[in-house]
Each structure stands twice: as structure tokens, then as C-alpha cells.
Amino acid sequence: MKNSITLKQPVKGYRYGIDSFLLARFAQFKKTDNVCDLGAGVGILSLLALTRGKVQKAVAVEIQEDLAKLALENAEILEVEDRFEVFVDNWKNVKKLLKPHRFNVVISNPPYRKAQTGKVSPDRSKAISKHEIEGGLPDLIQAAKYLLNSAGRFVTMYPPLRLEELIQKLANNYFKIERMQVIYPYIDRPATLVMIEAVKSTPRELKVEPPLIVYRDPDHYTAEVESWVGPKRRV
């Protein structure tokens, strides 16, 4: 299928999911964009930006060296390595890695759970990807603020449980949500994720996109999701 993309990733531990595809779709990348992907994993968001969004360049920051290595290998497989750069570091250290106000898009599919909450996986890689062990929401927003130029966009996703916290911390850093879309697993189920695009505080009206429904039944995505992700694979 023309929209399919397959990347190298660990057999165990961290593995990217459909939520990264949905976030990349929501981001509406432009060919003129320079993108920074914070907490990049194996590079799924950066590589979707490069291959489908045709952006100028993507820079990834990933704290786990094995995942960062796979991101570079994936870029080579997709033949976009000349427009891709990876830093093996914590997003809290972006001031040491990159110049300020360099990007017009910062994107991140971050850990959704606070440290010391819920069940933490014994697998270190999976724990870091799901819990805020190496940096929390305030660190992420401050990194985005440093990296973005005056017209830049910060694109991320969080569970509805943390939406109020996300809005408050964005406001504390002079960000305003410009677009929002809510993800539902099924049409009759509660929402599981909220995607937002935030900009530096300027007089903007909030646009709430139509809801995004992922599945029409357990074996099939909705037509909207399938057009971007491809058919659901049987496991």
C-alpha cells in the first residue's frame, strides 16, 4: 500500500503504535517546515514528517541509545538520512544541543503517565516510554518553547485525564492551543487521547477538529484512519 511504512524497532520493550501515525497526520506538516521530534524513539514521527510531509529537515532527540541507532538505520532505509539528524540525550538538555528558535514545528508523543503512578513495566525501555522517568510535562513544554521560533507550532498528545494540566502548563509558558482533536477507540467509547497544536500566545481562536474514531470493529480501522495508516494487521 502506498501509505504503508515499516520501521526497525526492538522485538521487546518500546514499540511505536498507531497513536504516532495519528499525531503525524494531525500535525499537517508543510514542505517548508524544520521539525524537532522530542523523545523520538525509533524516529517514527520524524520519518513520517520527512517521507509524507516532505519537510526540509527533521532533528530527533532520543535518550535511549539503542532506539536512536535504529532511528538512523530507519532513515537510511527510507533514503532520507541527508535530511535527518539524531541526538542521544534528554530533551531537558536541548539548550546544550541546539540553537534557540531554530524550528517552526516541535512534535512529541511523550510518556503519558507521571513517574511513580500506575503499573511501571519492569522493562526499562518500555517504562521510559510510558512514564515520566526521564522528564515530565513541564520539561517538554520548556524545551519546545526554547526550540520554536515566534511563529512555531508545538504538536503533542495526552490522555484526557491530563488535559487540564496540559492547558495550564502551556499557558504558564505563554502557549495557546490553536487546534485540538479528540481520539476515540470506537464511536460509542470514551475518548483515550487528545491531540493539540499550540502556538506562542497570540489572539487566536481555538479550532476543535471533528472527532477521530479509530476502529469500526475489532478487526478494521475506520476508513479515515485506514487511509493514513493502512489496513489493520492481524496478530
Side-chain angles (χ1 to χ4, degrees), residues 146-189:
Y146 170 82
L147 293 168
L148 286 169
N149 61 32
S150 59
R153 302 179 290 128
F154 175 44
V155 181
T156 191
M157 64 198 317
Y158 269 90
L161 180 66
R162 300 191 68 184
L163 180 58
E164 182 178 6
E165 178 189 1
L166 175 61
I167 293 171
Q168 289 176 342
K169 286 184 167 51
L170 285 169
N172 290 344
N173 285 275
Y174 306 101
F175 277 103
K176 181 180 178 64
I177 296 178
E178 184 175 36
R179 285 195 306 128
M180 178 186 297
Q181 187 172 34
V182 182
I183 300 174
Y184 297 82
Y186 294 91
I187 195 168
D188 59 346
R189 302 280 180 87

Side-chain angles (χ1 to χ4, degrees), residues 184-188 213-226 232:
Y184 297 82
Y186 294 91
I187 195 168
D188 59 346
I213 314 300
V214 177
Y215 298 100
R216 57 185 174 91
D217 61 54
D219 295 320
H220 300 91
Y221 296 129
T222 58
E224 182 180 7
V225 170
E226 189 170 295
K232 186 176 186 294

Side-chain angles (χ1 to χ4, degrees), residues 197-230:
E197 176 187 278
V199 295
K200 301 289 180 67
S201 290
T202 53
R204 306 279 184 96
E205 292 184 356
L206 170 61
K207 178 181 180 182
V208 180
E209 306 279 357
L212 182 60
I213 314 300
V214 177
Y215 298 100
R216 57 185 174 91
D217 61 54
D219 295 320
H220 300 91
Y221 296 129
T222 58
E224 182 180 7
V225 170
E226 189 170 295
S227 68
W228 180 260
V229 178

Side-chain angles (χ1 to χ4, degrees), residues 67-103:
L67 300 184
K69 182 180 177 182
L70 286 173
L72 286 171
E73 292 178 11
N74 286 327
E76 291 175 0
I77 291 170
L78 295 171
E79 300 180 342
V80 293
E81 67 273 17
D82 60 326
R83 295 185 287 133
F84 185 57
E85 187 176 8
V86 178
F87 290 93
V88 183
D89 211 323
N90 192 308
W91 63 45
K92 294 190 288 187
N93 298 328
V94 292
K95 290 184 179 180
K96 299 177 182 178
L97 307 173
L98 297 161
K99 294 181 180 179
H101 317 309
R102 174 180 168 184
F103 299 92

